[in-house]
Amino acid sequence: MLDLACGRGRHVRWLAAQGCRVTAVDRDALAVEPLRGLAEVIVADLEDGPWPLEGRRFDAVLVTNYLWRPRLAALLACVRPGGLLLYETFGDEQGRVGRPARADFLLRPGELPALLAPPDWRVIAYEEGWLAEPLRHVQRIAARAGPQAPAAPLQPGLQGLPHPDRAAAPGDARGHS
């Protein structure tokens, strides 16, 4: 399993504790140093350096709170056929409530499912919307690599939080964004 842009390794630690063999990649050598012994650690600048995973394939790839579009094709190529991609990062409205705010680091509406189109991918689950604690706008997707049976229709809204500029209507517990 690959955790790309893993930071201090919250997911790496959990995955290793579950018995997964994990490869952890991040540019911050100090942050990943404590992960040695739990995972294969690769220190690499994913944006300005050479791609550190050329030719490697993983059963699962996890990415959270990271987006660098010039590397998306290389990232997707790391998921072996039949493997799983789990990706969650900030959506385009995030800049209204906090960082990141630059469009370069924010997903456009529906960008993840558009990127993972059949027949090369099967989207298993997709959500886009607002989450609390801290308040943030995200897209998250789970997708399987390779041609497979069609997935269930997408349900593209997160439930339970109002749009930050609109109060939920009285009695409306859904508060869709």
Side-chain angles (χ1 to χ4, degrees), residues 67 69 90-92 94-95 100-108:
L67 176 65
R69 285 181 184 89
F90 298 102
D92 68 325
Q94 174 64 26
R102 280 187 39 202
D104 290 348
F105 304 122
L106 304 173
L107 290 165
R108 295 178 292 273

Side-chain angles (χ1 to χ4, degrees), residues 142-153:
R144 191 160 301 283
Q148 298 174 27

